[in-house]
Amino acid sequence: MGDDQHTILTEDFMRILHETETRVRHSAHAHWAATNRMDTLNRITTIATLVGGFMVSVLAALPVLYKNFYQPHSDVLNAGLFMLGGAVSVISILQAVQRWGERSQSHFNAASAYSSLRRKLEMLRLNLPESVPQLSVILEDLRQLGETAPAVPEGLWRKAVRAARNSS
């Protein structure tokens, strides 16, 4: 192989390696951001459901425990019980339908896999010259991961890409 052809192959290899590293870094950032967002939503709705459920229980127990207090304020307390019970129900349904905890775990698994690929790429860069077979394996792993990883919401993706660019 001539020096010119070797240089072209080396340049192509380094370009592909760099582009792959960029893609993996952006994907890892995006999935970590999605993990954090979904985890936060899950925590907030869980706390809201627990606190709301407690408040509904307290309001429902007032007529039994404090008859004299309840009688003059029954309309307000019943309206509060109705509103709070409805809010707790809506939050519980949202939590069940959106499955934020499960989605958070899926993004966590994807982020971990992308971070692992990033470490492999870093090792590949250290073990040059031209580890084409190793890069091919990593590219195949990246392709498979791209097919199985959950989609990152567009807004989170853009924000994560900006963060990844700023951190490099």
Side-chain angles (χ1 to χ4, degrees):
M1 195 182 308
D3 282 344
D4 288 340
Q5 191 176 10
H6 181 71
T7 302
I8 291 170
L9 285 175
T10 302
E11 288 174 4
D12 286 345
F13 178 83
M14 293 306 290
R15 181 185 51 76
I16 292 169
L17 182 61
H18 176 72
E19 289 172 0
T20 304
E21 286 175 325
T22 301
R23 178 179 170 199
V24 167
R25 188 175 58 251
H26 291 174
S27 296
H29 272 276
H31 283 285
W32 285 121
T35 296
N36 292 333
R37 172 73 54 87
M38 303 294 170
D39 197 42
T40 298
L41 288 170
N42 189 46
R43 273 195 211 115
I44 289 170
T45 56
T46 298
I47 289 169
T49 302
L50 290 173
V51 170
F54 174 75
M55 295 301 293
V56 166
S57 298
V58 167
L59 286 174
L62 281 177
V64 175
L65 297 174
Y66 302 105
K67 288 183 179 152
N68 292 336
F69 175 77
Y70 178 75
Q71 294 294 338
H73 306 295
S74 64
D75 290 341
V76 172
L77 292 173
N78 284 339
L81 182 61
F82 175 75
M83 300 273 289
L84 196 54
V88 168
S89 295
V90 168
I91 291 170
S92 295
I93 290 168
L94 252 177
Q95 195 173 24
V97 169
Q98 293 296 323
R99 300 178 351 263
W100 286 307
E102 182 182 321
R103 290 169 61 195
S104 172
Q105 186 61 47
S106 294
H107 285 289
F108 176 82
N109 293 342
S112 295
Y114 278 112
S115 294
S116 175
L117 281 178
R118 193 180 76 229
R119 286 187 294 278
K120 287 179 184 178
L121 287 166
E122 288 170 359
M123 295 304 294
L124 188 67
R125 186 176 285 280
L126 294 175
N127 294 326
L128 292 178
E130 299 187 59
S131 305
V132 173
Q134 290 173 315
L135 181 59
S136 295
V137 169
I138 291 172
L139 288 172
E140 177 59 23
D141 290 346
L142 180 59
R143 186 194 63 75
Q144 289 176 358
L145 182 56
E147 290 177 3
T148 60
V152 175
E154 187 67 30
L156 284 177
W157 180 262
R158 284 192 302 269
K159 190 185 248 185
V161 167
R162 280 193 305 272
R165 285 183 183 146
N166 292 337
S167 71
S168 54

